[in-house]
Amino acid sequence: SDAKYGEHKKLSFESADLFVLPSYSENFGIVVAEALSYGVPVITTKGCPWEEIHTNKCGWWVEPDVAELSAALEKSLTISSHDLTQMGQRGIQLIKNKYEWNKISLNMIKFYNLSKPMLKKYLLYEFKFKLLYFRNNSFDAPTFLSNEKSISCN
């Protein structure tokens, strides 16, 4: 199918019972998150980083081969509409719990705070390395370092 945008994309997801993305390689597969956010269960392959579909029971995460894709499609066509709806609801919860902007920003802050001590050590090590390098190579380290952008870890 051709790419869909705006209202056309929204209507497509709202009318879908299932979304399928077979792929050997995806860096994220934003379309999977979009489908889940509309409550559409997903079948995707292990070339996509979406193991959460399996662990959260909101679809199928299978090997990228014909046999496993066929088996997942067969299961999705024989499962009750109630069970598909439950899978879709779990998909909505997954997106709300992990991928909404407020969750992403809180996780980034948490990651930054946990990384701060390591970052400080790295920056100190880098500074000492540059200073040693320039001293050994007859460069003016203070002038060079004062021209570099400084990073604050406070």
Side-chain angles (χ1 to χ4, degrees), residues 17-32:
D17 294 319
L18 181 70
F19 181 79
V20 182
L21 178 66
S23 179
Y24 287 110
S25 176
E26 295 288 331
N27 64 349
F28 180 69
I30 190 70
V31 70
V32 171

Side-chain angles (χ1 to χ4, degrees), residues 33-46:
E34 290 174 324
L36 293 171
S37 75
Y38 280 93
V40 179
V42 172
I43 296 174
T44 194
T45 52
K46 293 183 179 179

Side-chain angles (χ1 to χ4, degrees), residues 104-133:
I104 293 169
S105 60
L106 289 173
N107 284 334
M108 287 298 295
I109 291 167
K110 186 187 299 181
F111 175 77
Y112 172 77
N113 286 332
L114 289 172
S115 302
K116 222 186 317 187
M118 184 173 55
L119 183 59
K120 284 181 180 181
K121 286 179 185 177
Y122 169 77
L123 291 173
L124 182 60
Y125 171 80
E126 184 180 13
F127 174 78
K128 288 178 180 178
F129 174 79
K130 285 180 180 179
L131 195 58
L132 182 63
Y133 174 81

Side-chain angles (χ1 to χ4, degrees), residues 65 102 133:
D65 62 50
N102 61 334
Y133 174 81

